[in-house]
Amino acid sequence: MSQSAQVPREIDLLVVGGGTSGAALAGIVARDTDLNVVLLEAGPDYGPFAAGEWPEELRDARTFPDTHGWGYAGLAHPTHVVETPFERARVLGGCSAHNGCVTLLGHRRDYDHWAELGNTGWDWPSVAPAFERAKTALRVRKPNDDELTPFQAGFMAGVVVSGIPRVADLNDPNDTDGVSPSPANIFGGTRWNTAFAYLDPVRSRPNLTIIGRALIDRVEVQGGRAVAVQAIVDGRRQRIAARRIVLSSGAYGSPMILLRSGIGPADELASLGIETVHALPGVGRALADHSAVQLSMRSAELDREMRAFETNHWLPDEQCLSKTRSRRCREAFDLHIYSVSGWLPDENAWKYNVFVSVVNPQSVGTVKLASTDPEAAPILDHGFLSDPDGYDLAVIADGVEIAHEMLAASPLAQQLETDARLGASPYTRANIEQFVERNVGIYWHPACSCRMGPATDDMAVVDASGKVHGLAELYVCDTSIFPVIMRANTNLPAAMLAEHMAEELSAF
């Protein structure tokens, strides 16, 4: 395993968090400038991919890892009694080293809307080149039809028969509804994370230092300027000073660091005994994610087909996705309906899942501190299904109805045996909505908790450059700054942020 490096005396750019955005940002700036860049990551750095020290579960793109997490959890809905994992990755590369490898960008309206909210330079024509660079770096490719597992192929066939068009590329920014194999950051069977894509090519440069197992407590502010961070590196507390500090600790981590630093809502800080250094009411107050429900099925016959397919094919869990419109859809699309298989070793069988998610959610939640301990988990309330107009509940309920139609139209329809979680029996709208409330969960795309907006927006945390309002030399570059969550998973957009922001963040 790569050991933590010595902290340089002089640091130009200190990137706090080596996740999807942070690893990409540090690599780009180290590559394109002579600035001294230091990247701090709370989890381990296993070194370059070529060294062969990365754990198999992080490299193998077929399934989701169950290691290297922060262990966060919470209730997904007020009626629930069992907590839902709100997992984030604690390792270099962050969730790009830990996810299902889907790399979507959403719809062009997502980014044009950002600009309409007062964020100059974030419209679709402005961010499109950054997306293309990110796709190239992450080696994004779309599976061919002959690579689809029997379950994935059967799901996609049912989607098409149900009336959703087959499209050439789910990343066409102008498409509305459509189904296709999902583009993915997979190279030679490896989950090609941002550490491999952006850091490995520049690890030998003298202006880049990567420090793993560095937990960040807080940012020090002097005279309205961020000057240093307090970090715990390999168990020892250190003060690390830099000319410019960029938080890239994610939609949970970045607001937590700001709050521990005394930057946030004054009332919340006071309740924890934290002195307010800079009152900023929006910190942690606009958390967004795509809520989702899971429909689960079994099939002994399909299991036999999957085993036969596996003898001479790769067998990933996640491959196909449908962009779909609910009855309430206002523009583009508002649903993801996608198929995921999962091997159950204790039962020597597969479970076949179809997920339904609202991808333009109206509900918002919060990230709050439970204590000032940097190892303490936050209090996470995603606010799922809480919007006052009932939009999110109605859209997911529509999606469940549509998913049933897709499954009924699938050539797998006669093979699939449903379990109780397929839900809504007897099949009425009221029962579907109750099923959604009982089973709503997370799509694992937290965002917007330090959202971007002009100074006239009282709840904005950063401006269009990523600079924290009212403070000098403190920036945020991760999914927390999205003004509104896009109609996509956040994997590719998080890398896009680094590509789009790197030049300005490295200009002194």
Side-chain angles (χ1 to χ4, degrees):
M1 181 186 298
S2 178
Q3 300 298 312
S4 293
Q6 187 70 30
V7 178
R9 283 192 171 186
E10 295 187 3
I11 302 171
D12 296 311
L13 189 71
L14 180 63
V15 182
V16 177
T20 306
S21 300
L25 177 65
I28 294 167
V29 176
R31 179 194 68 199
D32 294 347
T33 76
D34 292 325
L35 296 175
N36 287 325
V37 179
V38 172
L39 174 63
L40 304 178
E41 165 54 37
D45 169 18
Y46 290 106
F49 171 72
E53 295 185 4
W54 279 73
E56 173 65 18
E57 72 271 15
L58 297 181
R59 290 185 287 111
D60 186 353
R62 286 175 295 185
T63 194
F64 299 91
D66 58 3
T67 62
H68 295 81
W70 283 89
Y72 298 158
L75 296 179
H77 190 269
T79 63
H80 293 189
V81 295
V82 177
E83 289 192 329
T84 293
F86 295 150
E87 199 55 271
R88 295 286 86 190
R90 187 169 180 165
V91 66
L92 197 68
C95 288
S96 70
H98 206 258
N99 60 11
C101 299
V102 174
T103 46
L104 300 175
L105 56 81
H107 193 273
R108 66 179 301 140
R109 279 294 305 148
D110 296 326
Y111 307 97
D112 288 343
H113 183 45
W114 289 8
E116 291 163 2
L117 292 173
N119 299 294
T120 303
W122 288 94
D123 55 281
W124 171 249
S126 296
V127 301
F131 269 116
E132 290 304 312
R133 294 193 298 272
K135 286 194 289 186
T136 298
L138 291 170
R139 306 192 182 196
V140 173
R141 65 174 293 269
K142 187 183 74 171
N144 298 318
D145 283 10
D146 60 6
E147 298 175 59
L148 300 182
T149 71
F151 172 58
Q152 298 288 341
F155 168 77
M156 190 168 70
V159 174
V160 173
V161 172
S162 71
I164 304 297
R166 171 72 187 268
V167 294
D169 183 3
L170 289 173
N171 275 334
D172 185 325
N174 301 298
D175 274 347
T176 54
D177 53 346
V179 65
S180 179
S182 301
N185 54 299
I186 298 173
F187 179 70
T190 295
R191 181 183 287 102
W192 204 251
N193 64 54
T194 56
F196 300 158
Y198 289 97
L199 294 177
D200 283 5
V202 294
R203 278 182 180 268
S204 62
R205 286 183 62 92
N207 66 328
L208 174 65
T209 303
I210 302 169
I211 301 176
R213 305 191 186 281
L215 179 66
I216 306 305
D217 182 0
R218 58 190 174 85
V219 177
E220 290 186 13
V221 176
Q222 295 178 4
R225 177 182 296 270
V227 296
V229 300
Q230 290 284 335
I232 302 166
V233 182
D234 288 331
R236 294 178 297 176
R237 183 171 285 272
Q238 295 187 36
R239 180 181 187 272
I240 303 174
R243 293 173 64 196
R244 179 168 292 169
I245 298 168
V246 181
L247 302 184
S248 294
S249 297
Y252 302 152
S254 288
M256 290 169 68
I257 293 171
L258 290 174
L259 292 169
R260 287 197 298 267
S261 306
I263 303 166
D267 57 344
E268 182 179 337
L269 297 174
S271 70
L272 289 161
I274 300 173
E275 180 184 355
T276 299
V277 172
H278 180 62
L280 208 56
V283 175
R285 294 290 177 93
L287 176 66
D289 204 323
H290 304 124
S291 54
V293 294
Q294 172 182 320
L295 312 177
S296 298
M297 299 146 281
R298 308 291 182 90
S299 172
E301 183 178 346
L302 187 54
D303 284 359
R304 290 189 288 271
E305 294 182 23
M306 294 283 278
R307 291 189 181 95
F309 186 85
E310 193 174 20
T311 59
N312 54 8
H313 291 84
W314 201 56
L315 198 68
D317 290 346
E318 188 171 357
Q319 286 184 306
C320 291
L321 181 143
S322 173
K323 303 185 296 188
T324 309
R325 298 171 61 87
S326 77
R327 294 188 187 97
R328 288 198 174 196
C329 189
R330 300 163 184 165
E331 63 177 13
F333 54 93
D334 57 0
L335 284 162
H336 278 180
I337 301 177
Y338 59 102
S339 46
V340 181
S341 59
W343 174 248
L344 304 172
D346 293 342
E347 301 180 32
N348 194 34
W350 274 275
K351 181 164 70 172
Y352 304 104
N353 306 300
V354 171
F355 287 83
V356 178
S357 176
V358 54
V359 291
N360 65 337
Q362 307 303 300
S363 302
V364 297
T366 55
V367 179
K368 296 184 177 181
L369 295 181
S371 82
T372 58
D373 180 356
E375 281 285 8
I379 300 170
L380 300 173
D381 177 6
H382 288 78
F384 291 147
L385 310 183
S386 66
D387 63 288
D389 294 331
Y391 177 87
D392 293 358
L393 174 60
V395 170
I396 297 180
D398 280 358
V400 170
E401 293 180 342
I402 294 167
H404 273 272
E405 294 171 4
M406 293 173 172
L407 291 168
S410 168
L412 304 175
Q414 300 306 312
Q415 300 179 34
L416 294 171
E417 302 168 3
T418 64
D419 67 17
R421 294 203 64 193
L422 193 53
S425 179
Y427 194 68
T428 66
R429 180 69 179 200
N431 284 343
I432 292 171
E433 291 183 356
Q434 290 176 6
F435 167 79
V436 172
E437 289 181 333
R438 289 195 307 268
N439 294 284
V440 67
I442 189 170
Y443 200 177
W444 290 286
H445 304 150
C448 308
S449 52
C450 297
R451 67 183 179 85
M452 185 194 319
T456 53
D457 181 350
D458 291 340
M459 297 302 288
V461 175
V462 303
D463 66 17
S465 72
K467 188 181 81 66
V468 174
H469 283 298
L471 293 174
E473 301 305 343
L474 182 59
Y475 293 76
V476 184
C477 176
D478 59 38
T479 64
S480 71
I481 72 169
F482 296 159
V484 178
I485 194 169
M486 68 289 298
R487 281 163 273 214
N489 66 323
T490 50
N491 186 16
L492 187 62
M496 176 277 291
L497 284 181
E499 291 279 6
H500 188 63
M501 297 173 68
E503 183 175 359
E504 186 161 0
L505 290 177
S506 58
F508 285 87

